[in-house]
Amino acid sequence: MADPRLLAALDLMRRMPPSRMESSLEELVDLVPDLTDDLLNTVDQPLQLAKDAKGNAYLLCDYNRDGDSYRSPWTNEYDPPLEDGVLPSTKLRTMESLANDIFDGYREMYYEGGAVSVYFWDLDDSAFAACVLFKKDVETKIKGLNAGNWDAIHVIEVKPGQSGKAGYKLTSTVMLRVAVDHNVKGAGTGEIGRA
């Protein structure tokens, strides 16, 4: 049975404004430090952007993190460097590289900018998992729109079956934030966020 404190913490996080997700999570971790790992592994946070040593942009998440280092899907190297960081098998790394190229083209056509990262990892001898991350921020101020962003996290678990078939499980999270200014019509300001 799950820890009732963890269930209460997760229930509380669902009720917090998405625009305060990171600060709410930090404050909750301060209140119950022994739940830190469970909370960080369970609560989806807005995606952060980084650049690897070659200048390639990539997204940070729990799926490319090892300790305090993050792996670039473009170079397959950790920043800060790790000698024993977890890396995908050769077969999965080939699939990961191809998926990053494909989804980068998709990102440009569909989002017209933003960032995408795809990460693969082994689950056991034959099963594997992958995540596809998208981040798009409003780049120019539009009348009445102060800020906005879209973060999407898609996690796929694949278990090969018999006769060349496979079973899969897809879990998606989309975090949308829009801050609007209705002062033009005297209605005030507003912010919408949903995770």
Side-chain angles (χ1 to χ4, degrees), residues 22-193:
E22 292 167 296
S23 57
S24 295
L25 186 58
E26 287 175 17
E27 292 161 357
L28 198 52
V29 164
D30 288 344
L31 287 173
V32 282
D34 57 310
L35 295 178
T36 299
D37 286 340
D38 289 328
L39 288 169
L40 292 178
N41 290 330
T42 308
V43 177
D44 288 320
Q45 300 177 60
L47 298 171
Q48 301 296 317
L49 189 66
K51 289 199 175 187
D52 62 28
K54 295 186 177 179
N56 300 307
Y58 66 101
L59 296 168
L60 308 180
C61 69
D62 218 34
Y63 303 106
N64 70 323
R65 180 175 62 86
D66 193 341
D68 291 330
S69 295
Y70 292 89
R71 183 174 65 87
S72 166
W74 305 108
T75 63
N76 203 31
E77 296 173 358
Y78 280 92
D79 182 32
L82 281 179
E83 290 183 22
D84 60 346
V86 177
L87 298 172
S89 63
T90 303
K91 180 180 178 182
L92 288 185
R93 176 62 187 151
T94 300
M95 291 168 52
E96 180 182 84
S97 294
L98 181 60
N100 273 284
D101 289 339
I102 290 168
F103 279 103
D104 192 45
Y106 174 82
R107 172 207 52 82
E108 188 57 41
M109 289 187 301
Y110 185 76
Y111 291 94
E112 298 177 356
V116 65
S117 294
V118 181
Y119 301 102
F120 280 67
W121 62 96
D122 296 283
L123 293 175
D124 60 32
D125 291 338
S126 59
F128 66 94
C131 72
V132 181
L133 312 168
F134 291 97
K135 181 173 190 66
K136 172 68 175 175
D137 293 321
V138 173
E139 295 168 0
T140 58
K141 191 169 181 178
I142 301 168
K143 184 179 179 180
L145 178 64
N146 293 337
N149 60 359
W150 168 281
D151 289 351
I153 303 168
H154 308 285
V155 181
I156 306 104
E157 295 177 28
V158 180
K159 294 183 180 180
Q162 297 182 8
S163 304
K165 296 183 179 183
Y168 68 92
K169 176 183 172 186
L170 171 65
T171 305
S172 294
T173 301
V174 175
M175 292 174 268
L176 173 66
R177 182 177 160 264
V178 178
V180 294
D181 182 5
H182 293 287
N183 281 332
V184 176
K185 297 179 182 177
T189 60
E191 185 172 318
I192 298 171

